Amino acid sequence: AEGGGAGSGPTASVVAVEGSNAVALRGDPTTVARLAQVAADLDQKARNGTEIKVVFLENADAEQLLPVLQELVGQTPTQPSSQPLSRSNFGANSSSGSNGGGSGFGGTQQAQVSQPVQASGGSSGSGSGQPAITAAGGRTAAVITRFIGANAIVIAAPAEIQRQLAEVVRQLDTRREQVLVEAIVAEVSDTTARTLGAQFIVGDPSGGAFGASTFSNSAPNILQIAGAIGATQLNTSTTTTTNTDGSTTVTKNTSSAADTLQQSAISSILAATGGFGGFGGKIGSTFFGAIINAVKSDTTSNLLQVPHLVTLDNQEAHSLVGQEIPITTGQALSNNFDNAFRTTQRQNVGIELTVRPQVNSSGTVKLNLRLEVSSIAGPVSSDNSDLILNKREVETVRTVDDGQIAVISGLLDDNERRTIEKIPLLGDLPVLGHLFTSKAKQRSKTNLMIFIRPTILRTAGDSRRITEQRYGYLRLQQGLAEPEREPSIDQLVRDYMGAAPPIPSAPIPGSIEDPRIAVPVRSTSTVFRPVKK
C-alpha cells in the first residue's frame, strides 16, 4: 500500500509477508514508526481476543466431528455421549474413524464442555500432546463443544484458529454419497427318493410257530395288520339275546387290546405312501400273508430372494425380514417336583442383510457384507419338539465396480444315500432274495448362488430414479393383478401422504404406463386394462 501522493507529505509502503506472518514497512522514519505501533497494537488485541462462533452443520454429524476438531487444537477429545447402535443396538461400527460414534437413539445425552488447553507451558492432554493448529506466536486457547439440541459445533478460539477450523469444517461438511446394495439369493434344489420292499408273515397257531419280516422304511407294517386281525378273532365274544317277540339278537364284543391294535393298523395304512399290494390266506391251520410296497418321490424347489437397502457411504445398514421363533435353552422341575418350567430365547429366522459400503475415489465400492438366509426345517423327531433350522450365511469383504454384479458365494451340493435292509442268507438269494429285502435310495442336489450389486447414488436425481423404478414395478404388479382398477398404492400416496406418486417419467416397457396397456376411460380416474397382443 502506498500512503500519500506527490506533494502531500511523507509516504510509506506496506507489504505482507505471508510466509512468516509479518508486515514489511518502507518509508520515512516517522511514518514507519507510527505504522509499526499501530500494527503492534492490533497484534496484541488479536492475541488477547477470543471469538465464539456457532457452526451449523448440514451433512456431517456434530458428535462425530467434535473429537476431530478437539484433537486439532490439542483439547482432550470428548467421547460420544449416546450409545452406538448395534444389531440389538444397531450400527456399532457405523462411523468412520477411531473417534466416531453413531448418533444413537438410546441413552441419556448430556452436554459436555471441556476446559481450554494452553499449548505452551504444559501438555494438552491429547494423544499427541501438542495441538495441530496454533495461532501466531505458537499459542492457542480454544474450547470446542457441540449443542445437542441441534446439529451444531460451538468454537471459542482466536480469529486465526476460527478461520482454520472453519475451513476444516467446510471440507468435511459435504454431502455424502449413498449406495444401493442389492443381493440375489438363488437356490435350486432337487430331491428324489425311491423305496422298494417286501414283507411276509407265516404262522401256525396250533403249533405255536410263526415267521415274519418287517423293515423300518416299509409301510404299512404287516405285523401291525396281522396283530389287529388276530386280536379281533381271538378276543371277540358273541352274545345271543332272545327278545320278547321271540327274535334273537347277536352281539359281538372286542377287548380294549384288540381295539388298540386295530387303531394302530389303521394308522399304519394311512401313513403309507406310494403304491402297495398284498395277499393272504390260510391252508389248514397255517396262515400266510405278504405286502409289497414301492415309493418314488421327486421334490424340486426354486428359491429366489432379493434383499436390498440404501445407506450412506461408510455407514452400516441392517435389514431383517422374517420371524422370531422361540428356542428352548433349558428345562427343569421346581423344588417340589410339581411344576416344570422351560427357559427359551428368541432367534431371528428369515433374510438378514448387514452391509457397510465404502466408496473409493476410483469409483469402486468396498463392501463389508454379511448375508444370512434361514428357515425352519421342522422338528427333530416325532418325540422331540426342538426345531431344525436351515441356514445359509456368508460374511465377506469385496470390492465391486459401480453398478456391476459380482458373485460372492456359491455351493454345489450332491448327496446320495442308499439303505438296504434284508434278512441274512435269504436276502442274498438270486431273484428270490428281493422278497426278503427292502431297498431305499435318496439323492439331493442343491445349487446355491449369491450375487451382489452396489449402485452409487451421487445426486438427488439418482435417488429419484431408483425410487421411481421400484415404485413403477409395484404399480405394474398391482395393475396386472387388477386391470380394471387404479393401483391402490397411487391412492394411498395421494390420500395419506398428500403427495404426487413418483411415477417414472420414462415408461418401463410392459408397464402400466406403456400406451399399449394403460387405457384412460374417465376424466376423473384411469382404468388400467392389459391389451391382448
Side-chain angles (χ1 to χ4, degrees):
E2 297 290 340
S8 60
T11 61
S13 62
V14 181
V15 179
V17 183
E18 297 181 358
S20 59
N21 194 30
V23 176
L25 304 175
R26 181 181 179 182
D28 61 277
T30 304
T31 304
V32 169
R34 181 170 56 83
L35 294 178
Q37 183 61 38
V38 172
D41 294 342
L42 294 176
D43 183 55
Q44 184 65 30
K45 293 179 180 180
R47 175 177 299 181
N48 297 332
T50 299
E51 298 181 4
I52 298 179
K53 185 177 183 180
V54 179
V55 181
F56 289 92
L57 305 178
E58 296 183 3
N59 301 284
D61 188 354
E63 189 174 19
Q64 299 180 15
L65 185 59
L66 177 62
V68 178
L69 300 178
Q70 289 176 334
E71 284 191 352
L72 290 177
V73 299
Q75 183 180 341
T76 303
T78 301
Q79 298 300 324
S81 59
S82 60
Q83 295 294 332
L85 300 172
S86 60
R87 189 166 299 176
S88 55
N89 251 337
F90 166 64
N93 299 322
S94 60
S95 60
S96 60
S98 59
N99 299 315
S103 56
F105 302 105
T108 302
Q109 298 183 351
Q110 298 179 353
Q112 300 182 11
V113 180
S114 303
Q115 298 297 325
V117 178
Q118 295 291 341
S120 59
S123 174
S124 63
S126 64
S128 61
Q130 295 294 334
I133 297 179
T134 58
R139 299 184 58 200
T140 179
V143 175
I144 305 176
T145 185
R146 71 185 182 98
F147 176 53
I148 300 179
N151 192 30
I153 295 290
V154 181
I155 304 175
E160 180 63 20
I161 302 298
Q162 291 275 9
R163 184 188 64 80
Q164 298 182 55
L165 292 179
E167 178 63 20
V168 173
V169 172
R170 185 191 65 80
Q171 297 185 32
L172 295 179
D173 188 24
T174 57
R175 175 168 178 161
R176 297 165 62 182
E177 297 172 331
Q178 300 183 87
V179 180
L180 167 66
V181 180
E182 300 169 286
I184 297 179
V185 181
E187 181 184 66
V188 179
S189 177
D190 187 10
T191 302
T192 59
R194 295 180 177 87
T195 302
L196 176 62
Q199 307 172 74
F200 75 91
I201 185 170
V202 61
D204 185 359
S206 61
F210 77 97
S213 68
T214 182
F215 306 102
S216 61
N217 54 9
S218 298
N221 191 290
I222 193 171
L223 290 180
Q224 292 178 330
I225 297 176
I229 296 174
T232 302
Q233 295 179 352
L234 297 177
N235 294 288
T236 300
S237 59
T238 303
T239 303
T240 302
T241 305
T242 303
N243 300 323
T244 56
D245 57 355
S247 62
T248 59
T249 301
V250 180
T251 305
K252 293 184 178 181
N253 300 317
T254 58
S255 63
S256 59
D259 294 338
T260 302
L261 290 174
Q262 289 178 358
Q263 293 295 329
S264 177
I266 293 174
S267 300
S268 178
I269 296 174
L270 294 177
T273 58
F276 62 92
F279 62 91
K282 188 175 183 181
I283 302 176
S285 61
T286 303
F287 65 90
F288 61 90
I291 295 178
I292 299 176
N293 65 295
V295 179
K296 179 181 179 181
S297 63
D298 191 352
T299 303
T300 302
S301 63
N302 184 12
L303 173 66
L304 186 63
Q305 298 165 323
V306 188
H308 69 276
L309 50 84
V310 179
T311 182
L312 287 175
D313 175 26
N314 209 29
Q315 183 78 28
E316 185 176 288
H318 175 263
S319 68
L320 171 64
V321 180
Q323 298 174 312
E324 280 193 349
I325 62 172
I327 302 296
T328 302
T329 57
Q331 186 172 357
L333 294 173
S334 63
N335 295 332
N336 298 328
F337 301 98
D338 58 352
N339 184 21
F341 64 92
R342 176 182 300 178
T343 58
T344 61
Q345 67 178 11
R346 296 283 177 174
Q347 182 170 338
N348 296 329
V349 174
I351 307 173
E352 190 171 3
L353 175 62
T354 304
V355 63
R356 180 164 61 89
Q358 179 179 342
V359 180
N360 301 324
S361 58
S362 60
T364 61
V365 181
K366 179 181 178 182
L367 295 174
N368 296 270
L369 180 139
R370 179 181 179 273
L371 177 63
E372 178 180 319
V373 180
S374 56
S375 60
I376 302 175
V380 176
S381 61
S382 58
D383 57 350
N384 189 344
S385 60
D386 290 340
L387 298 177
I388 298 176
L389 301 181
N390 298 324
K391 181 176 292 187
R392 294 167 290 277
E393 179 181 357
V394 58
E395 185 172 356
T396 183
V397 180
R398 183 73 192 272
T399 299
V400 186
D401 292 336
D402 178 23
Q404 299 299 314
I405 300 177
V407 61
I408 61 172
S409 179
L411 172 66
L412 301 178
D413 189 13
D414 190 351
N415 294 326
E416 183 175 331
R417 180 179 180 180
R418 297 187 180 186
T419 303
I420 300 178
E421 296 179 340
K422 61 182 179 179
I423 298 176
L425 300 179
L426 296 178
D428 297 329
L429 295 175
V431 182
L432 295 178
H434 295 289
L435 300 176
F436 308 97
T437 305
S438 177
K439 297 181 178 180
K441 178 181 178 181
Q442 183 175 1
R443 183 177 184 180
S444 60
K445 299 175 63 177
T446 302
N447 298 328
L448 172 66
M449 290 293 173
I450 300 178
F451 302 89
I452 196 73
R453 182 191 183 212
T455 303
I456 303 175
L457 308 179
R458 293 183 170 87
T459 63
D462 294 339
S463 300
R464 183 173 60 255
R465 176 178 53 83
I466 293 297
T467 302
E468 293 176 351
Q469 179 183 2
R470 296 296 188 269
Y471 190 87
Y473 175 79
L474 184 57
R475 293 183 76 238
L476 173 62
Q477 302 305 313
Q478 291 188 344
L480 295 177
E482 296 182 295
E484 301 298 327
R485 298 183 56 186
E486 181 184 8
S488 59
I489 188 172
D490 288 351
Q491 302 176 9
L492 183 64
V493 170
R494 287 197 307 265
D495 300 340
Y496 182 75
M497 293 185 175
I503 301 175
S505 55
I508 302 175
S511 68
I512 53 181
E513 290 84 19
D514 195 322
R516 297 172 300 173
I517 297 179
V519 181
V521 297
R522 291 194 303 268
S523 59
T524 57
S525 63
T526 302
V527 175
F528 299 93
R529 180 180 299 109
V531 177
K532 295 182 179 180
K533 297 182 180 180

